[in-house]
């Protein structure tokens, strides 16, 4: 079975400060990990993914995430937050086993950037 | 930039009625999905579809649900007899690569069952 935990329902950060949105996962095989962002009344928008290779992956809008196998984590980070980063963020995992098409999402973290 | 489009954006129906939600995936994508998000809850996998057949489905996707790709461009989700608990936002998604590709989601269809 595969699962994702986002331990924080809400994260508040002052504009210009660094931000971190936490994610931990559980899979039986190797993980494929994704971050998506959802703006109000919109669909899910892909930010970045980890498949293999460098543990630090860079994505859209200045976001990056670090894969940590020993801690089974994939935290989303940004060095300097913008008010426009305020949105709902979802971490997702898929076990790399062939034939597994199911992407499992976390419960989401609402990020609010305070001007 | 190509995108996944969904119609209708919002549908209100009576319990027991049939509903069809429509999606046009990105044109060169081969893998298609439906997810749903009950208000305030997490995004849940319903079904995946490849090569004109279901490749995987969740326990939510029971006999009341079906999917179809009738004409090579549309991808539909049918709910035969809607229940109150089917009220949710339904997202269609597609991807090109079989293994490592990311999903591209539509804007969603909000279904309200009364």
């Amino acid at each position: 079975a595969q699962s994702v935990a986002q331990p924080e329902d809400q994260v508040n950060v002052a504009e210009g400060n660094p931000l971190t949105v936490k994610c931990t996962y559980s899979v039986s095989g190797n993980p494929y990990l994704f971050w998506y962002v959802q703006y109000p009344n919109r669909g899910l928008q892909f930010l970045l993914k980890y498949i293999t290779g460098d543990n630090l992956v860079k994505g859209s809008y200045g976001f990056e995430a670090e894969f940590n196998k020993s801690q089974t984590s994939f935290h989303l980070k940004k060095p300097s937050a913008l008010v426009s980063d305020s949105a709902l963020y979802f971490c997702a995992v898929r076990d790399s086993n062939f034939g597994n098409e199911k992407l499992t999402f976390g419960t989401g973290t609402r990020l609010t950037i305070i001007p | 930039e190509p995108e996944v489009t969904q119609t209708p954006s919002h549908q209100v129906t009576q319990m027991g009625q049939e509903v069809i939600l429509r999606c046009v995936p990105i044109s060169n994508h081969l893998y298609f999905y439906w997810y749903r998000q009950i208000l305030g809850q997490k995004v849940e996998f319903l079904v995946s579809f490849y090569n004109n057949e279901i490749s995987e489905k969740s326990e939510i996707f029971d006999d009341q649900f079906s999917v179809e790709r009738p004409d090579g461009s549309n991808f539909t989700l049918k709910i035969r007899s809607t229940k109150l608990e089917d009220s949710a936002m339904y997202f269609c998604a597609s991807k090109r690569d079989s293994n490592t590709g990311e999903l591209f989601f539509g804007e969603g269809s909000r279904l309200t069952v009364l």
Side-chain angles (χ1 to χ4, degrees):
Chain A
Q2 57 192 44
S3 64
V4 174
Q6 291 181 246
E8 301 156 318
D9 291 335
Q10 173 85 37
V11 171
N12 297 325
V13 176
E15 186 179 19
N17 282 3
L19 69 88
T20 299
V21 183
K22 295 179 181 176
C23 171
T24 59
Y25 67 89
S26 174
V27 294
S28 55
N30 291 318
Y32 294 156
L33 293 154
F34 304 82
W35 275 100
Y36 284 85
V37 60
Q38 186 179 32
Y39 297 100
N41 301 312
R42 303 293 298 275
L44 296 154
Q45 186 175 340
F46 170 74
L47 278 180
L48 51 80
K49 66 181 177 182
Y50 171 82
I51 302 299
T52 187
D54 288 343
N55 289 341
L56 184 66
V57 293
K58 295 185 183 297
S60 308
Y61 312 120
F63 284 95
E64 58 189 30
E66 185 166 13
F67 170 63
N68 188 316
K69 188 172 183 177
S70 62
Q71 297 186 4
T72 61
S73 67
F74 190 57
H75 301 330
L76 181 70
K77 300 182 180 187
K78 187 173 181 180
S80 178
L82 301 172
V83 173
S84 56
D85 294 330
S86 299
L88 188 58
Y89 289 80
F90 289 97
C91 182
V93 69
R94 185 161 72 81
D95 194 313
S96 61
N97 288 339
F98 180 76
N100 175 27
E101 288 295 329
K102 176 181 174 181
L103 190 61
T104 298
F105 285 85
T107 51
T109 298
R110 186 164 301 282
L111 176 65
T112 302
I113 307 303
I114 302 163
Chain B
E1 186 175 320
E3 57 183 24
V4 176
T5 57
Q6 291 185 240
T7 54
S9 57
H10 189 193
Q11 181 154 356
V12 181
T13 190
Q14 295 291 323
M15 190 169 57
Q17 295 296 304
E18 175 182 284
V19 161
I20 297 176
L21 305 178
R22 292 183 168 79
C23 169
V24 179
I26 295 172
S27 62
N28 63 350
H29 286 190
L30 302 175
Y31 299 81
F32 313 111
Y33 306 81
W34 284 100
Y35 284 77
R36 78 174 185 188
Q37 185 181 31
I38 295 173
L39 187 63
Q41 298 185 26
K42 67 178 180 181
V43 178
E44 300 175 293
F45 170 80
L46 291 178
V47 66
S48 60
F49 190 86
Y50 169 71
N51 200 26
N52 280 321
E53 61 183 24
I54 291 173
S55 48
E56 192 171 350
K57 61 183 181 179
S58 72
E59 60 276 7
I60 302 169
F61 195 88
D62 61 21
D63 292 344
Q64 293 300 310
F65 290 87
S66 63
V67 289
E68 196 177 38
R69 188 160 159 80
D71 57 12
S73 62
N74 290 286
F75 179 52
T76 62
L77 175 69
K78 182 192 289 186
I79 309 174
R80 261 180 271 281
S81 178
T82 50
K83 303 187 279 286
L84 295 176
E85 55 265 38
D86 293 329
S87 294
M89 181 73 91
Y90 288 82
F91 291 108
C92 175
S94 68
K95 72 175 180 181
R96 185 177 175 192
D97 297 322
S98 64
N99 210 18
T100 62
E102 63 271 21
L103 299 185
F104 290 81
F105 284 83
E107 300 277 291
S109 293
R110 181 169 297 284
L111 175 64
T112 302
V113 182
L114 302 176

